[in-house]
Amino acid sequence: MGIIRVTNINVYAYHGCLVEESKIGSEYRVDVAVKADLQPSAVSDNLQETVDYVHVNRIVKEEMAIRSALLEHVAKRILDRIFKEIVIAEEATVEVSKINPPIGGNVEMVTIEMTQKR
């Protein structure tokens, strides 16, 4: 068992419940960790037998481009695609952070974290 992490994926997107958020957008940070059996790829040196982090990055960027009211909804879509498209994934954790959220205070970011197992 091993973990592939893709950390600090920066995306500009338009998520949120406020009308303004759908118009002006915001900066987001996404972190993904995928647990899988990495022994076969460690032996074979074959990209087809591991978690391709380029693929993980593409999933994140494509799902972040689809507007949602809640970050939980975006994270769930990312998790669903990971398990659909990366067959060796056994568990995945996704953190979606909104940078400088419009919550009436000086807050660096808000983060939701979701974990799913196959």
Side-chain angles (χ1 to χ4, degrees), residues 46-99:
N46 183 347
L47 180 61
Q48 302 304 317
E49 294 182 350
T50 192
V51 177
D52 181 354
Y53 48 82
V54 173
H55 188 176
V56 172
N57 187 58
R58 184 174 56 246
I59 289 170
V60 168
K61 288 187 172 188
E62 289 173 359
E63 293 304 323
M64 288 296 290
I66 302 168
R67 178 167 157 62
S68 291
L70 300 177
L71 299 181
E72 294 89 326
H73 190 254
V74 180
K76 177 68 170 133
R77 287 199 321 264
I78 292 168
L79 287 167
D80 288 346
R81 280 201 50 200
I82 287 170
F83 285 103
K84 179 180 177 186
E85 298 176 21
I86 302 173
V87 296
I88 69 165
E90 295 180 18
E91 180 178 316
T93 299
V94 174
E95 295 178 47
V96 180
S97 302
K98 182 180 281 193
I99 311 299

Side-chain angles (χ1 to χ4, degrees), residues 11-60:
V11 181
Y12 199 88
Y14 298 86
H15 307 300
C17 296
L18 302 175
V19 174
E20 296 82 18
E21 292 173 301
S22 69
K23 294 179 181 175
I24 62 172
S26 187
E27 292 182 42
Y28 293 84
R29 171 186 170 154
V30 181
D31 299 297
V32 180
V34 181
K35 289 185 181 179
D37 182 2
L38 302 180
Q39 289 303 313
S41 62
V43 172
S44 72
D45 198 27
N46 183 347
L47 180 61
Q48 302 304 317
E49 294 182 350
T50 192
V51 177
D52 181 354
Y53 48 82
V54 173
H55 188 176
V56 172
N57 187 58
R58 184 174 56 246
I59 289 170
V60 168

